[in-house]
Amino acid sequence: MEGGFGSEFGGRGSGKLDPGLIMEQVKVQIAVANAQELLQRMTDKCFRKCIGKPGSSLDNSEQKCIAMCMDRYMDAWNTVSRAYNSRLQRERANM
């Protein structure tokens, strides 16, 4: 059966599932979900901060505010991510 469970989740035509491939697919799906959540949160926060009266276009000050807000949000996200990953590595090393 083309496109069935086995082909979606690592089947090799023999009906067996490849756990390694499944884990990689899950990791990719989690990364995509995280990226979507980051983009949604950033959009929501920056829109609320920068757009006073929604209209058909953004004026120059709104464009600058959105760009700066997104830059700051990404900088903060990256700083937190690096600190979190560093802490995880330290904790794993101490186990």
Side-chain angles (χ1 to χ4, degrees):
M1 177 164 102
E2 191 71 28
F5 182 79
S7 65
E8 274 186 49
F9 292 100
R12 301 271 188 226
S14 64
K16 294 182 180 178
L17 299 177
D18 180 352
L21 185 57
I22 292 171
M23 285 304 296
E24 287 305 311
Q25 290 173 340
V26 168
K27 287 177 185 178
V28 167
Q29 289 174 353
I30 290 170
V32 168
N34 285 337
Q36 288 173 333
E37 182 179 355
L38 169 64
L39 183 59
Q40 183 63 47
R41 285 184 181 188
M42 182 172 52
T43 301
D44 290 345
K45 288 182 184 296
C46 292
F47 184 87
R48 276 184 272 144
K49 177 180 176 19
C50 297
I51 310 300
K53 296 180 182 177
S56 60
S57 64
L58 299 175
D59 65 28
N60 197 33
S61 64
E62 290 171 330
Q63 289 178 19
K64 286 180 183 178
C65 180
I66 290 283
M68 290 178 64
C69 177
M70 293 177 81
D71 286 346
R72 285 193 306 266
Y73 196 94
M74 287 304 299
D75 287 344
W77 177 271
N78 288 331
T79 299
V80 169
S81 294
R82 281 192 300 271
Y84 178 74
N85 288 331
S86 176
R87 183 174 179 177
L88 281 178
Q89 288 175 354
R90 282 194 314 269
E91 288 180 7
R92 286 181 184 148
N94 290 333
M95 291 181 155

